[in-house]
Amino acid sequence: MAQTGNNGFRHSTSLVVLDPIVRKPATMTQQFASDNYAGTCPEAWAAMQQANAGSVAAYGEDEWTTRAANAFRTLFGTDCEVFFAFNGTAANSLALAALCQSYNSVICSSCAHVETDECGAPEFFSNGSKLLAARNNSAKLTPDVIHALATCRGDIHYPKPRAVTITQPTETGELYTLAEIQAISTTCRSLGLRLHMDGARFANACAALGCSPADMTWKAGVDVLCFGGTKNGMAVGEAIVFFDKTLAEGFDYRCKQAGQLASKMRFLSAPWVGMLESGAWLKNAAHANGCARQLERAIAQVPGITLMFPVQANAVFVQGPEGFLDRLRAKGWRFYTFIGGGARFMFAWDAQPEQVDALAADIRAACA
Amino acid sequence: MAQTGNNGFRHSTSLVVLDPIVRKPATMTQQFASDNYAGTCPEAWAAMQQANAGSVAAYGEDEWTTRAANAFRTLFGTDCEVFFAFNGTAANSLALAALCQSYNSVICSSCAHVETDECGAPEFFSNGSKLLAARNNSAKLTPDVIHALATCRGDIHYPKPRAVTITQPTETGELYTLAEIQAISTTCRSLGLRLHMDGARFANACAALGCSPADMTWKAGVDVLCFGGTKNGMAVGEAIVFFDKTLAEGFDYRCKQAGQLASKMRFLSAPWVGMLESGAWLKNAAHANGCARQLERAIAQVPGITLMFPVQANAVFVQGPEGFLDRLRAKGWRFYTFIGGGARFMFAWDAQPEQVDALAADIRAACA
Amino acid sequence: MAQTGNNGFRHSTSLVVLDPIVRKPATMTQQFASDNYAGTCPEAWAAMQQANAGSVAAYGEDEWTTRAANAFRTLFGTDCEVFFAFNGTAANSLALAALCQSYNSVICSSCAHVETDECGAPEFFSNGSKLLAARNNSAKLTPDVIHALATCRGDIHYPKPRAVTITQPTETGELYTLAEIQAISTTCRSLGLRLHMDGARFANACAALGCSPADMTWKAGVDVLCFGGTKNGMAVGEAIVFFDKTLAEGFDYRCKQAGQLASKMRFLSAPWVGMLESGAWLKNAAHANGCARQLERAIAQVPGITLMFPVQANAVFVQGPEGFLDRLRAKGWRFYTFIGGGARFMFAWDAQPEQVDALAADIRAACA
Amino acid sequence: MAQTGNNGFRHSTSLVVLDPIVRKPATMTQQFASDNYAGTCPEAWAAMQQANAGSVAAYGEDEWTTRAANAFRTLFGTDCEVFFAFNGTAANSLALAALCQSYNSVICSSCAHVETDECGAPEFFSNGSKLLAARNNSAKLTPDVIHALATCRGDIHYPKPRAVTITQPTETGELYTLAEIQAISTTCRSLGLRLHMDGARFANACAALGCSPADMTWKAGVDVLCFGGTKNGMAVGEAIVFFDKTLAEGFDYRCKQAGQLASKMRFLSAPWVGMLESGAWLKNAAHANGCARQLERAIAQVPGITLMFPVQANAVFVQGPEGFLDRLRAKGWRFYTFIGGGARFMFAWDAQPEQVDALAADIRAACA
């Protein structure tokens, strides 16, 4: 089968015995390998179903798209520009390409998804903008780190820094405080840099910090946000939100040229209406965060267990004694180990608390 | 609202009065401006709904994706490589980029979607491969036209031709016969060119010609096909099918880097299962084609009416007397006029025959 | 041997019998196939020789480069930004890339060098900006043609026009009058388009029209000029002159990234000092133009001869009776036929009037 | 003045008082900031001068270019493919782009010129191929480092390694032994990687190791070499030599599209004839290497002086006591400090031994 990668469990036996399509397929035990293992939440689904009715103008000239864009404006309390893309790789890359020329560079953490998991997409979309990855052994950037990277070179033999990207929450499940974001944006302003936020799990950050989307973004100096819908409970789709509207000039053309303009746009935009108008975006995130804290509480004191990062959003990274990971896998759990070699558990809107308990029990057993 | 273009009716008043989301939105009268004005057909929807259950591995490592890929192999009767992309612009551009280096060129019709309606996407994805558009005043290429374009220059100051792309059915709703495709592929072989088929409406071609997908593609010498799902009745999604598997090397990486790898891939692949296993792909297309013929029959003899192209698939292009288009618009009909200035009507899986009759009646009245 | 193209006389026998390097190579009879068949003129050579002395800072931080840039400012009577690139393909492509984003398009003549002889370089450097070639059967654009191309589409499915490029003199050896340039720039302004001039033979245009470089460019509304040095008598090198300095932002980085920053820059810049300070740039061009007129006068009345375009700069395009071209070739003349199938003769700074007479005599004989 | 960078001495006062061009310009005291501060050596100059005579076919279809390509074949003792580019940034980037697709990656040292001093050119030319820079605190790669980088990820979210580039000698003036190159190429073969050698100072490596160009390249498993002409004594120009000729397919088009095809190619190729046929390429390099050893010997025992890297080619990197660099600068010396903060001295074909002595004396004094 094409288009599958080797992410560590490629060669496992079939997970799902598919019944004929008239019946419900048997599903695997709930897994927390990633929040994109989850399906579509009811609110997004219902909106998509409603949107399915009748003839609707294509390419975003429909009322669902208008309504979704307006829902973002209401959510952020400002007249931002909103675009819809298919996935996070494209959303991030397009946003950065809008900030940069090919000879510019983007400052990021060495853990940043744009650096580690997008297969060179930022360089591809921008036609060569180089990522300058910090070496501070943290998924979080700081003003000092940014300043150092932005000023270490000033000659034309090195790409000119033009943007900073931060992931909120980070790929390690950590959070920037509002003060930290503000300090970063102040540094950016002083250096002539634009600030991009990769919000693949933006809702989780809002739920965790209990602050408004506005506080976390434009009020703290963020220029453009990629707001993740997929991991928040949608089937597909991310939103790119420009708070500095001048940066959005031509972005509709940019999306089209890059293969990111949906013809039946309503199916990308209506789920956002369902998520934002119902409050599901925040409810889903809060639930996922709660499951992470549930697991943290259940295993924090287990002898031999190390929590690799503070549990601040919907992720828990766990290291255990020798053989720990293999014993967990033997019990049927699936997880990624690409950050620091520990097991990553990432909770979604549909995580079942009893399954979290089952995982905790298996973790304890695997440490014994 | 962002991400809307000016396609001729941008400034029209709102088409849809959206009710609160708990109620069904009022839809506009059925329109035939494009087959992407239609929603998702029941078979695709049901599969998507089934696929929504439970935890499923991401990025295509799921059984729905395997099953969908196998359904294509069964449909085409060969062990092809299958990839899933979000939309047709990306599918075509990625396929052509796989065939070409940046210094190559692609021979196409001057009416080809890749030339006229993808905003430079083929050049963007390939990093500069130039399209050589034929000037034979037809949406169909011929061996002679291809030969002339491929051989008119042989110096390094002009991009070296490497691929030919044909749209089946064409953007004008015309069909290549199997013999014509075979003749084109023979010409391609003799010139060292690869043959790509833009099958945004591939199903319509199969239904119209009554031939098998295999006969229309690899048996006729097509190297790679972009099989359109969206216009065939899906919410989103196209398949790229490589019959020459060596051309697919690295294509999974290419998709990923270009922002075309869905994390919750099941929502892109399951609808294909629904379409292909149920036969809906062909049923939908046959229905749409039938509506086009219904309109053709109803208006062919109307004085003042000219059918601009033979009606062979699901499109009808109409010219009428002075003021004709305005009178049609005044009756509420929406249509594109970008090909030859006439009105294009394009029928989808959901076209209602009584609405086709209503359109025919209004056309007759607009000629009076 | 690598890096040779098939330009029509690739397979001819060796032209040059090279002596051991201690002796002077035998040269072929002077040819007028192109003005890049000529060597380096004495003024450029002398400056290069002077520049060869001693240690000099690299990458343009030397006084020769400063002096060359200032010579351009003096020549144009304005404080323009000046950059030096290796060849015309790069100069044009970089200039257009500075004006455009990847989703923009560039309006040009169908005869424009950027369209016909740069192997997709503009699309490559810009990462996809499409060229919109006029179909007015002329190497000259007009305000009407530009207006039509710029406004025929306004939707996001088609790349947004952002620049116009004109070649002065054109690839057919014709000239835009100052009034024509002014009219074009006025049209550009009204449409939000930038105006680029491909001046591969800019000096020939100045000499022919007898106007100042300023009159021909910024005073007529040109935003950026590529001023050709190679065809004017240098060994290598073109200058990119930005009259609107805001457009030059980051252009130094753009040149570097695109492999167009010479380390020993003095060898690119010093020849310009030699050409501009001595007046050789204009003298060379006037001489070349004069040779074209000489040929024109000598053959204009020959029965059977057609001059394909008005002789206004340094090119003469000739058509003759059947067998004419073969008879000319048999007499040892080399020429290109890629425009309209006729013979192109292009005169350089070193054209010998007696050789022009010899060519004229052979043309007459070939018509007999 | 445009196109100047800030490389640490941008704002210094004028270095050169230029006399009117009829007289010889006063030059600055010889500097060893870089080997590209030197002019053109006599052998290259003489060939260029000879090549300047008469009409010569353009774009490489001339005998000088044939002769230069053949001189490379003779030098390497194999039927390689040879191309000529304007500078090293372009040569490296084009060679790597020929090896990679956009979704591939290139393994390099963190000190590699392609990573640190080409402003994102490799990513630009390849449309996104990511550089994977080793973190082994050395300018030299090893089989282990390559193996680790090539195998740390195998999923489609990370660009697929396809090439390794090594610089010989390295940016720190160190050499790979033939055995080391062979071990690297063996590792590359086992991993399916191609091996590129950045030979900006290739001649210096040959002179230092006393081995043949063949031994250092194709006999040791190098697939493609960028052979530097500029630093070896030419005004401009590098050669790209493909030992695996299948990799050169279409490379002539690639050069043309990327603005690297010289029209008056003889001026790029003839100097190579002069360099290679006379042996100047090796003589120049041996002289430069000798000056480096001269400096090394003169300062190695000076108290407070540290030689940062073994002196193996034409570079010497020096650290000294506090205030050392400032005192050296006060004496008029110019140098780069971008590697490790020490002073880099790089000797060229024209380095005068008495000037090297003068530098050594000033270094000693600056340590006192």
Side-chain angles (χ1 to χ4, degrees):
Chain A
M1 182 192 55
Q3 211 166 38
T4 63
N6 175 6
N7 62 11
F9 31 79
R10 183 187 196 171
H11 302 296
S12 55
T13 53
S14 275
L15 305 168
V16 182
V17 180
L18 271 180
D19 297 336
I21 201 160
V22 290
R23 285 180 287 139
K24 194 166 184 297
T27 57
M28 64 177 170
T29 306
Q30 191 168 48
Q31 291 289 352
F32 307 121
S34 180
D35 34 7
N36 55 34
Y37 274 47
T40 309
C41 73
E43 294 84 352
W45 189 270
M48 203 156 56
Q49 198 157 20
Q50 269 195 282
N52 194 28
S55 283
V56 170
Y59 298 116
E61 302 190 39
D62 65 285
E63 282 297 321
W64 284 101
T65 304
T66 303
R67 187 167 158 181
N70 285 335
F72 276 100
R73 293 187 189 106
T74 301
L75 185 71
F76 284 96
T78 188
D79 185 26
C80 45
E81 289 280 352
V82 183
F83 300 85
F84 301 105
F86 291 113
N87 69 9
T89 294
N92 284 332
S93 295
L94 286 168
L96 293 174
L99 303 181
C100 293
Q101 295 293 308
S102 61
Y103 51 79
N104 285 132
S105 55
V106 176
I107 292 170
C108 67
S109 158
S110 62
C111 298
H113 197 264
V114 291
E115 169 71 5
T116 65
D117 284 284
E118 298 188 351
C119 197
E123 294 89 343
F124 173 79
F125 280 83
S126 64
N127 200 22
S129 299
K130 206 172 176 73
L131 299 181
L132 307 184
R135 300 287 156 193
N136 62 331
N137 291 317
S138 169
K140 288 172 69 175
L141 293 177
T142 65
D144 283 355
V145 163
I146 292 167
H147 193 274
L149 275 171
T151 58
C152 67
R153 291 280 294 266
D155 58 280
I156 57 173
H157 306 282
Y158 203 63
K160 187 180 178 61
R162 183 67 183 137
V164 170
T165 177
I166 57 176
T167 311
Q168 173 77 325
T170 68
E171 291 75 10
T172 55
E174 296 172 279
L175 288 167
Y176 290 92
T177 66
L178 297 191
E180 287 172 334
I181 299 170
Q182 183 64 63
I184 284 174
S185 75
T186 300
T187 299
C188 288
R189 290 294 172 274
S190 74
L191 293 164
L193 304 173
R194 294 296 191 169
L195 183 55
H196 165 260
M197 180 177 279
D198 176 353
R201 299 178 179 97
F202 180 75
N204 300 89
C206 290
L209 287 179
C211 68
S212 77
D215 286 339
M216 186 104 78
T217 55
W218 63 274
K219 288 186 177 174
V222 172
D223 293 305
V224 54
L225 166 73
C226 293
F227 190 139
T230 313
K231 287 165 177 161
N232 198 205
M234 288 168 50
V236 60
E238 316 287 297
I240 301 122
V241 185
F242 286 91
F243 301 109
D244 180 340
K245 295 175 70 168
T246 63
L247 298 174
E249 191 197 332
F251 199 76
D252 46 355
Y253 285 87
R254 193 180 290 279
C255 289
K256 167 66 192 183
Q257 184 181 38
Q260 293 289 329
L261 177 63
S263 58
K264 297 184 178 177
M265 179 69 93
R266 52 174 151 169
F267 294 110
L268 269 196
S269 56
W272 281 114
V273 173
M275 300 289 284
L276 300 186
E277 293 191 358
S278 71
W281 73 279
L282 196 59
K283 182 190 67 175
N284 286 354
H287 172 79
N289 292 353
C291 291
R293 287 196 305 272
Q294 178 188 344
L295 180 64
E296 179 196 23
R297 283 191 304 269
I299 64 172
Q301 308 304 327
V302 175
I305 282 295
T306 304
L307 295 177
M308 299 167 65
F309 306 101
V311 177
Q312 297 177 337
N314 64 325
V316 181
F317 288 78
V318 183
Q319 282 178 326
E322 196 184 331
F324 168 71
L325 297 180
D326 286 340
R327 288 191 292 276
L328 264 186
R329 287 191 190 101
K331 287 175 182 289
W333 294 103
R334 297 159 58 92
F335 44 84
Y336 289 92
T337 59
F338 62 87
I339 296 185
R344 186 191 80 166
F345 296 103
M346 190 69 85
F347 300 94
W349 65 272
D350 68 342
Q352 299 160 12
E354 55 271 32
Q355 287 291 316
V356 180
D357 281 343
L359 171 59
D362 284 344
I363 287 175
R364 276 191 298 269
C367 287
Chain B
M1 183 193 55
Q3 211 165 34
T4 64
N6 175 5
N7 61 12
F9 32 79
R10 182 188 199 171
H11 302 298
S12 54
T13 54
S14 276
L15 305 168
V16 183
V17 180
L18 273 181
D19 296 337
I21 201 162
V22 289
R23 284 181 288 138
K24 193 166 184 299
T27 57
M28 64 176 170
T29 306
Q30 190 167 48
Q31 291 288 350
F32 307 120
S34 181
D35 33 7
N36 56 32
Y37 274 48
T40 309
C41 72
E43 294 85 353
W45 189 270
M48 201 156 57
Q49 198 156 20
Q50 270 195 281
N52 195 28
S55 283
V56 170
Y59 299 116
E61 303 190 37
D62 66 284
E63 282 297 322
W64 285 101
T65 303
T66 303
R67 185 166 159 180
N70 285 335
F72 275 101
R73 294 187 188 106
T74 302
L75 185 70
F76 284 96
T78 188
D79 184 27
C80 46
E81 289 279 353
V82 183
F83 300 85
F84 302 104
F86 292 113
N87 69 10
T89 294
N92 284 332
S93 296
L94 286 168
L96 293 174
L99 303 181
C100 292
Q101 295 293 309
S102 61
Y103 51 78
N104 286 133
S105 54
V106 177
I107 292 171
C108 66
S109 158
S110 62
C111 296
H113 198 262
V114 292
E115 168 71 4
T116 64
D117 283 285
E118 298 189 352
C119 197
E123 294 90 343
F124 173 79
F125 280 82
S126 64
N127 201 23
S129 300
K130 206 172 176 74
L131 299 181
L132 306 185
R135 298 288 155 196
N136 62 331
N137 291 317
S138 169
K140 288 172 70 175
L141 293 177
T142 65
D144 284 354
V145 163
I146 291 168
H147 192 276
L149 274 171
T151 59
C152 66
R153 292 281 293 266
D155 58 280
I156 58 174
H157 306 282
Y158 202 63
K160 187 181 178 62
R162 183 69 182 133
V164 170
T165 177
I166 56 176
T167 311
Q168 172 78 327
T170 68
E171 291 75 10
T172 55
E174 297 172 278
L175 288 166
Y176 289 93
T177 65
L178 297 191
E180 286 172 335
I181 299 170
Q182 184 65 62
I184 284 173
S185 76
T186 300
T187 299
C188 288
R189 291 294 172 273
S190 75
L191 293 164
L193 304 174
R194 294 295 191 168
L195 182 55
H196 165 260
M197 180 177 278
D198 176 351
R201 298 178 178 98
F202 179 75
N204 300 91
C206 291
L209 288 180
C211 68
S212 77
D215 287 338
M216 186 104 76
T217 55
W218 62 274
K219 289 187 177 174
V222 171
D223 293 304
V224 54
L225 166 72
C226 293
F227 190 140
T230 313
K231 287 166 176 159
N232 197 206
M234 288 168 49
V236 60
E238 316 286 297
I240 301 122
V241 185
F242 285 91
F243 301 108
D244 180 340
K245 295 175 70 168
T246 64
L247 297 175
E249 191 196 334
F251 199 76
D252 46 355
Y253 286 87
R254 192 180 292 279
C255 289
K256 167 66 193 183
Q257 184 180 39
Q260 292 290 328
L261 177 64
S263 58
K264 297 183 177 177
M265 179 70 91
R266 54 173 148 169
F267 294 110
L268 269 196
S269 56
W272 281 114
V273 174
M275 298 289 284
L276 300 186
E277 294 191 358
S278 71
W281 73 280
L282 196 60
K283 182 190 67 175
N284 286 354
H287 172 80
N289 291 353
C291 290
R293 288 196 305 271
Q294 176 187 346
L295 180 64
E296 179 197 22
R297 284 191 304 268
I299 64 172
Q301 309 304 329
V302 175
I305 281 295
T306 304
L307 296 177
M308 298 166 65
F309 306 101
V311 176
Q312 298 177 336
N314 65 324
V316 181
F317 288 78
V318 183
Q319 282 178 327
E322 195 182 334
F324 169 72
L325 298 180
D326 285 340
R327 288 191 292 275
L328 265 186
R329 287 190 190 102
K331 286 174 183 291
W333 295 102
R334 295 158 62 90
F335 45 83
Y336 289 92
T337 59
F338 61 87
I339 295 184
R344 185 191 80 166
F345 296 102
M346 189 69 84
F347 300 94
W349 65 273
D350 68 342
Q352 300 159 11
E354 54 272 33
Q355 286 291 317
V356 181
D357 282 341
L359 172 58
D362 284 343
I363 287 176
R364 277 191 297 270
C367 287
Chain C
M1 184 191 54
Q3 211 164 35
T4 63
N6 174 4
N7 62 12
F9 31 80
R10 182 187 198 170
H11 301 297
S12 52
T13 54
S14 275
L15 304 168
V16 181
V17 180
L18 271 181
D19 297 335
I21 202 161
V22 289
R23 285 182 286 138
K24 193 163 182 296
T27 57
M28 65 177 169
T29 306
Q30 189 166 49
Q31 292 288 350
F32 306 120
S34 180
D35 33 7
N36 56 33
Y37 274 47
T40 309
C41 72
E43 294 84 353
W45 189 269
M48 202 155 58
Q49 198 157 20
Q50 269 196 281
N52 195 27
S55 283
V56 170
Y59 299 116
E61 302 190 38
D62 66 284
E63 282 298 321
W64 285 101
T65 304
T66 304
R67 186 167 158 181
N70 284 337
F72 276 101
R73 293 187 188 106
T74 302
L75 185 71
F76 284 96
T78 187
D79 185 26
C80 45
E81 289 279 353
V82 183
F83 300 86
F84 302 104
F86 292 113
N87 69 9
T89 295
N92 284 332
S93 295
L94 286 168
L96 293 173
L99 303 181
C100 292
Q101 295 293 308
S102 60
Y103 52 78
N104 285 131
S105 54
V106 177
I107 292 170
C108 67
S109 157
S110 62
C111 297
H113 197 262
V114 291
E115 169 70 6
T116 65
D117 284 285
E118 298 189 352
C119 197
E123 294 89 343
F124 173 79
F125 281 82
S126 65
N127 201 23
S129 299
K130 206 174 177 73
L131 299 181
L132 307 183
R135 299 286 156 196
N136 61 331
N137 291 318
S138 169
K140 288 172 69 175
L141 293 177
T142 65
D144 283 354
V145 164
I146 292 167
H147 193 275
L149 274 172
T151 58
C152 67
R153 292 280 293 267
D155 58 280
I156 57 174
H157 306 283
Y158 202 64
K160 186 180 179 62
R162 182 67 182 136
V164 170
T165 177
I166 56 176
T167 311
Q168 172 77 327
T170 67
E171 291 75 9
T172 56
E174 297 172 278
L175 288 166
Y176 289 92
T177 65
L178 298 190
E180 286 172 335
I181 299 170
Q182 184 64 63
I184 285 173
S185 76
T186 300
T187 299
C188 289
R189 292 292 173 276
S190 75
L191 292 163
L193 305 173
R194 293 296 191 170
L195 183 55
H196 166 261
M197 179 177 279
D198 176 351
R201 300 179 178 97
F202 180 74
N204 300 91
C206 291
L209 287 180
C211 68
S212 77
D215 286 340
M216 186 105 76
T217 55
W218 63 275
K219 288 187 177 173
V222 172
D223 293 305
V224 55
L225 166 72
C226 293
F227 190 140
T230 313
K231 288 166 178 160
N232 198 204
M234 288 169 50
V236 61
E238 316 286 298
I240 302 122
V241 185
F242 285 92
F243 302 108
D244 180 340
K245 295 175 70 168
T246 63
L247 298 174
E249 192 197 333
F251 199 77
D252 46 354
Y253 286 88
R254 192 179 292 278
C255 290
K256 166 68 193 182
Q257 184 180 38
Q260 292 290 328
L261 177 64
S263 58
K264 298 183 177 176
M265 178 70 92
R266 52 174 149 168
F267 294 110
L268 269 195
S269 55
W272 280 114
V273 173
M275 298 289 283
L276 300 186
E277 294 192 357
S278 70
W281 73 280
L282 195 60
K283 182 190 66 174
N284 286 353
H287 173 79
N289 292 353
C291 290
R293 287 196 305 272
Q294 177 187 345
L295 180 64
E296 179 197 22
R297 283 192 304 268
I299 64 172
Q301 309 304 328
V302 175
I305 282 293
T306 304
L307 296 176
M308 298 167 67
F309 306 101
V311 177
Q312 297 178 338
N314 64 325
V316 180
F317 289 78
V318 182
Q319 283 177 327
E322 197 183 332
F324 169 71
L325 297 181
D326 285 340
R327 287 191 292 276
L328 264 187
R329 287 191 190 100
K331 286 175 182 290
W333 296 102
R334 296 159 60 91
F335 44 83
Y336 288 93
T337 59
F338 62 87
I339 296 184
R344 186 192 79 166
F345 296 103
M346 188 70 84
F347 300 94
W349 65 272
D350 68 342
Q352 300 159 10
E354 55 272 33
Q355 287 290 317
V356 180
D357 281 342
L359 172 58
D362 284 344
I363 287 176
R364 276 191 298 269
C367 287
Chain D
M1 183 191 58
Q3 210 164 38
T4 64
N6 174 4
N7 63 11
F9 30 78
R10 182 186 199 172
H11 302 297
S12 55
T13 54
S14 276
L15 305 168
V16 182
V17 180
L18 273 180
D19 295 336
I21 202 161
V22 289
R23 284 180 287 139
K24 194 166 183 296
T27 57
M28 65 178 170
T29 306
Q30 191 168 48
Q31 292 288 350
F32 306 119
S34 180
D35 34 7
N36 56 34
Y37 274 48
T40 309
C41 72
E43 294 83 354
W45 189 269
M48 203 156 55
Q49 198 157 19
Q50 269 196 281
N52 195 27
S55 282
V56 171
Y59 299 117
E61 303 190 37
D62 65 284
E63 282 298 319
W64 285 101
T65 304
T66 303
R67 186 167 159 179
N70 285 336
F72 275 101
R73 292 185 190 108
T74 301
L75 185 71
F76 284 95
T78 188
D79 184 26
C80 46
E81 289 278 352
V82 183
F83 300 86
F84 302 105
F86 292 112
N87 69 8
T89 295
N92 284 331
S93 295
L94 286 168
L96 293 173
L99 303 181
C100 293
Q101 295 293 309
S102 61
Y103 51 79
N104 285 133
S105 54
V106 177
I107 292 171
C108 66
S109 157
S110 63
C111 297
H113 198 263
V114 292
E115 168 71 5
T116 65
D117 283 285
E118 298 188 353
C119 198
E123 295 90 341
F124 174 79
F125 280 82
S126 65
N127 201 24
S129 299
K130 207 173 175 75
L131 299 181
L132 306 185
R135 299 287 156 194
N136 62 332
N137 290 317
S138 170
K140 288 172 68 176
L141 293 177
T142 65
D144 283 354
V145 163
I146 291 167
H147 192 275
L149 274 171
T151 59
C152 68
R153 292 279 294 267
D155 57 281
I156 57 173
H157 306 283
Y158 203 62
K160 186 179 179 62
R162 182 70 182 133
V164 169
T165 176
I166 57 175
T167 310
Q168 173 77 326
T170 68
E171 291 74 10
T172 55
E174 297 172 279
L175 288 166
Y176 289 93
T177 65
L178 297 190
E180 286 172 335
I181 298 170
Q182 183 64 63
I184 285 173
S185 75
T186 300
T187 300
C188 288
R189 291 294 173 274
S190 75
L191 294 164
L193 304 174
R194 294 296 191 168
L195 181 56
H196 165 260
M197 180 177 279
D198 176 352
R201 298 178 179 98
F202 180 74
N204 299 92
C206 291
L209 288 180
C211 68
S212 77
D215 287 339
M216 186 105 78
T217 55
W218 63 275
K219 290 187 177 173
V222 171
D223 293 305
V224 54
L225 166 72
C226 293
F227 190 140
T230 313
K231 288 166 177 160
N232 198 203
M234 288 168 49
V236 60
E238 317 286 296
I240 301 122
V241 185
F242 286 91
F243 302 108
D244 180 340
K245 295 175 70 168
T246 64
L247 298 174
E249 191 197 333
F251 199 76
D252 47 353
Y253 286 88
R254 192 180 293 279
C255 289
K256 166 66 192 184
Q257 184 181 38
Q260 292 290 328
L261 177 63
S263 58
K264 297 183 177 176
M265 178 71 92
R266 53 174 150 169
F267 295 110
L268 270 196
S269 57
W272 281 113
V273 173
M275 299 289 284
L276 299 186
E277 294 191 355
S278 70
W281 74 280
L282 195 60
K283 182 191 67 174
N284 286 353
H287 172 80
N289 291 353
C291 290
R293 287 196 306 272
Q294 177 187 344
L295 180 64
E296 179 196 22
R297 283 192 304 268
I299 64 173
Q301 308 305 328
V302 175
I305 281 295
T306 304
L307 296 176
M308 299 166 66
F309 306 101
V311 176
Q312 299 177 337
N314 64 324
V316 181
F317 288 77
V318 182
Q319 281 176 328
E322 196 183 330
F324 169 69
L325 298 180
D326 285 341
R327 287 192 292 276
L328 265 186
R329 286 190 191 101
K331 285 173 182 293
W333 295 102
R334 297 157 60 91
F335 44 82
Y336 289 92
T337 59
F338 62 87
I339 295 185
R344 185 191 81 167
F345 297 102
M346 189 70 85
F347 300 95
W349 65 273
D350 68 341
Q352 300 159 10
E354 55 271 33
Q355 286 291 315
V356 180
D357 281 342
L359 172 58
D362 284 344
I363 287 175
R364 277 191 297 270
C367 287

